[in-house]
């Protein structure tokens, strides 16, 4: 199923999809050349927004947590892509340690961990799951709603290696985004491969660094195809030294909101878009849809009430927000039944391995769909994103999915560049 694109402006997007379809050979050649110069992250997921005149990433997650939402038919793709990633990193690998988030009560997340372990095991690896939770001092079995179970075990650290009791892994895969900081037990490992590297976690990473890298990738790609890069690239700005409780940084925030809205209005005028421009203000580090607000006028970020300031001041793990990114809002005009939908594309190594739609019946086309405490229905893609059908219309399922896959891979390439740029000095 592909969501209905509920807009009269399907023409420009169909034009974009048609360009991707017609130029698929050039696109794949360009991407192949890029991957010869840059190493992809082990895995990643990209949230996209599709508004009928623009298809752009709005977030890139380097610790994806929704493998349980993928179409089971894509499992072989996941396994083959994982084999490719492992062979490049640790060709003789036999043992792999998976370290998840500390969400032992989040059953959906734990089903993701179990699915990830299944994918890894099917590559021929012995996989065990170690936890950072101090209260787990012995192997602990957790039963899952789908009838499966997983075993969490306490980590064992020696001087330079990390493992479990009687288990010494070649590689350690983090499915924990390190929002609360880098635990001491993960530092100073110089004899094992840690995937992704520690500076990919939110203790170090910043969304603004990612979108700066994406800006360059999108500009280069658009020049190669003769596209306006704005069609695949959201404008953004940054404000540092923010303190929502003390109203510090409000002037910077209002000024950047005003500046971005003016730039977006110009583009809307150029393309004949009649929608109301908006921006999204969100914490420059962190995930889970926390610390996010939609803004249509600069006056909305000055004089926030206490409830709004509290909402914006703290993100996951209770961390205070001191830096924000102001990002061009991209309406999502895709809908399934009465629910607004946005695609989420999953990749392992440099390969697209599937995706799903985040569908939310309680949110509008200009709102954040990844909302804590809100219910959404993931809908798995029916076909994968790497097999365009040139004989079909540009918006046929394989071709729309292919367009998603192209833009998602651009975001993954940007993540590669970002991690190179932010790697600590040897």
């Amino acid at each position: 199923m592909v969501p209905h694109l509920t807009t009269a402006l399907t023409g420009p997007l169909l034009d974009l999809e048609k360009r991707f379809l017609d130029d698929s050979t050039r696109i794949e050649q360009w991407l192949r050349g890029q991957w010869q110069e840059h190493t992809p992250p082990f895995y990643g997921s990209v949230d996209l927004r599709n508004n009928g005149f623009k298809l752009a990433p709005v977030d890139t997650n380097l610790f994806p947590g929704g493998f349980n939402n993928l179409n089971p038919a894509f499992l072989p793709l996941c396994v083959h892509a994982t084999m490719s990633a492992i062979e490049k990193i640790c060709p003789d690998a036999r043992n792999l340690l998976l370290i998840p988030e500390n969400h032992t009560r989040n059953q959906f997340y734990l089903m993701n961990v179990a699915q990830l372990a299944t994918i890894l095991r099917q590559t021929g690896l012995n996989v065990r799951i170690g936890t950072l939770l101090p209260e787990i001092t012995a192997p602990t079995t957790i039963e899952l709603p789908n009838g499966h179970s997983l075993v969490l075990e306490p980590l064992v650290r020696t001087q330079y290696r990390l493992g479990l009791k009687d288990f010494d892994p070649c590689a350690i895969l983090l499915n924990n985004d390190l929002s609360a900081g880098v635990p001491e037990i993960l530092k100073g490992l110089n004899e094992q491969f840690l995937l992704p590297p520690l500076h990919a976690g939110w203790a170090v990473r910043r969304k603004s660094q990612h979108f700066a890298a994406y800006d360059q990738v999108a500009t280069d790609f658009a020049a190669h195809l003769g596209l306006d890069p704005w069609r695949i690239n959201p404008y953004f700005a940054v404000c540092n030294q923010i303190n929502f409780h003390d109203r510090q940084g409000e002037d910077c925030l209002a000024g950047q909101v005003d500046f971005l809205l003016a730039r977006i209005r110009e583009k809307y005028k150029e393309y004949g878009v009649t929608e109301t421009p908006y921006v999204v203000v969100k914490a420059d580090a962190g995930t889970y849809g926390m610390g996010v607000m939609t803004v249509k006028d600069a006056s909305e970020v000055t004089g926030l009430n206490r409830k709004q300031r509290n909402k914006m001041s703290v993100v996951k793990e209770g961390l205070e927000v001191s830096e924000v990114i102001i990002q061009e809002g991209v309406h999502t005009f895709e809908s399934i039944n009465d629910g607004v939908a946005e695609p989420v594309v999953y990749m392992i190594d440099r390969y697209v391995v599937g995706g799903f739609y985040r569908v939310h019946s309680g949110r509008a086309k200009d709102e954040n769909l990844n909302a804590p405490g809100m219910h959404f229905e993931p809908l798995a893609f029916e076909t994968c994103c790497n097999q365009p059908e040139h004989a079909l219309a540009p918006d046929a399922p394989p071709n729309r999915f292919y367009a998603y896959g192209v833009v998602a891979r651009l975001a993954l390439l940007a993540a590669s560049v970002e991690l190179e740029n932010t790697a600590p000095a040897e």
Side-chain angles (χ1 to χ4, degrees):
M1 184 185 294
V2 178
H4 179 55
L5 191 59
T6 48
T7 170
L9 280 167
T10 52
L13 185 79
L14 291 185
D15 169 65
L16 187 61
E17 292 177 339
K18 188 174 186 307
R19 290 291 299 276
F20 287 170
L21 193 59
D22 292 345
D23 287 334
S24 61
T25 301
R26 293 176 66 207
I27 288 170
E28 297 307 321
Q29 288 172 348
W30 187 86
L31 283 167
R32 190 165 67 243
Q34 296 298 312
W35 293 128
Q36 288 170 357
E37 298 179 25
H38 304 283
T39 302
F42 184 84
Y43 53 9
S45 67
V46 177
D47 293 0
L48 301 171
R49 303 277 284 205
N50 181 354
N51 65 13
F53 48 91
K54 182 166 187 156
L55 174 60
V58 293
D59 216 354
T60 300
N61 185 358
L62 298 181
F63 302 87
F67 281 95
N68 55 308
N69 294 328
L70 301 184
N71 187 331
F74 300 155
L75 181 60
L77 280 176
C78 295
V79 172
H80 291 151
T82 304
M83 279 182 175
S84 173
I86 293 291
E87 284 168 4
K88 285 192 295 189
I89 296 157
C90 189
D92 300 324
R94 289 180 174 80
N95 296 338
L96 182 138
L97 176 63
L98 176 59
I99 301 180
E101 296 275 1
N102 295 340
H103 302 325
T104 52
R105 292 195 184 94
N106 186 331
Q107 298 286 291
F108 293 108
Y109 173 72
L110 292 176
M111 286 192 289
N112 153 75
V113 174
Q115 181 66 4
L116 194 49
T118 296
I119 292 166
L120 293 160
R121 288 184 182 118
Q122 290 197 15
T123 68
L125 290 168
N126 300 314
V127 180
R128 284 164 66 176
I129 303 169
T131 179
L132 293 163
L133 287 168
E135 62 267 28
I136 292 187
T137 56
T140 303
T141 300
I142 298 179
E143 301 297 333
L144 302 176
N146 59 3
H148 297 173
S149 63
L150 52 82
V151 179
L152 299 180
E153 301 183 63
L155 296 168
V156 176
R157 174 68 193 253
T158 59
Q159 185 174 4
Y160 295 122
R161 297 184 73 85
L162 181 64
L164 307 173
K165 184 180 179 184
D166 304 321
F167 187 73
D168 185 34
C170 162
I172 300 163
L173 180 62
L174 292 175
N175 198 242
N176 182 311
D177 66 17
L178 307 178
S179 287
V182 179
E184 286 298 319
I185 201 168
L186 295 180
K187 295 179 181 177
L189 297 172
N190 60 9
E191 295 181 354
Q192 290 166 303
F193 293 95
L194 192 60
L195 309 166
L198 292 178
H199 67 282
W202 288 121
V204 177
R205 187 175 180 232
R206 295 294 178 267
K207 294 173 187 176
S208 53
Q209 292 168 335
H210 173 75
F211 281 99
Y214 182 79
D215 185 62
Q216 187 58 56
V217 167
T219 299
D220 293 347
F221 175 80
H224 183 70
L225 288 195
L227 284 174
D228 177 354
W230 178 76
R231 301 281 302 282
I232 55 171
N233 187 13
Y235 291 144
F236 77 95
V238 183
C239 279
N240 301 317
Q241 298 179 325
I242 292 282
N243 186 316
F244 284 101
H245 284 307
D246 296 342
R247 300 186 185 279
Q248 181 181 335
E250 277 189 355
D251 290 344
C252 171
L253 201 49
Q256 294 290 13
V257 166
D258 212 29
F259 172 69
L260 280 187
L261 286 172
R263 291 186 73 193
I264 300 165
R265 281 189 206 101
E266 282 191 21
K267 278 297 184 182
Y268 279 18
K269 186 177 179 182
E270 179 184 339
Y271 282 92
V273 177
T274 57
E275 295 298 323
T276 303
Y278 73 102
V279 296
V280 177
V281 178
K282 51 189 174 182
D284 204 13
T287 184
Y288 285 86
M290 301 177 73
V292 178
M293 67 184 295
T294 298
V295 179
K296 296 177 182 176
D297 188 272
S299 63
E300 295 172 35
V301 297
T302 55
L304 296 176
N305 63 36
R306 180 177 293 181
K307 182 179 178 181
Q308 291 168 319
R309 295 203 308 275
N310 287 342
K311 174 191 168 188
M312 291 300 297
S313 63
V314 177
V315 290
K316 186 184 168 195
E317 306 285 359
L319 297 180
E320 291 282 332
V321 174
S322 60
E323 303 164 287
V324 296
I325 181 172
I326 306 100
Q327 188 180 63
E328 175 187 350
V330 182
H331 302 82
T332 179
F333 284 166
E334 293 185 287
S335 63
I336 292 174
N337 298 326
D338 294 325
V340 175
E342 66 181 12
V344 185
V345 177
Y346 272 60
M347 291 157 289
I348 298 174
D349 196 57
R350 65 183 190 273
Y351 304 103
V352 176
V353 296
F356 56 88
Y357 286 100
R358 183 180 286 126
V359 185
H360 207 313
S361 59
R363 292 259 156 161
K365 62 190 177 185
D366 58 357
E367 290 187 292
N368 169 36
L369 302 192
N370 188 10
M374 305 295 273
H375 180 69
F376 68 86
E377 288 291 341
L379 176 70
F381 291 180
E382 287 184 351
T383 63
C384 200
C385 306
N386 53 9
Q387 295 172 319
E389 289 282 351
H390 291 80
L392 299 178
D395 59 344
N399 298 332
R400 175 150 293 166
F401 292 147
Y402 178 68
Y404 295 158
V406 169
V407 176
R409 283 181 289 165
L410 295 178
L412 190 75
L413 176 58
S416 306
V417 174
E418 170 200 355
L419 292 179
E420 290 165 13
N421 293 341
T422 57
E426 292 292 333

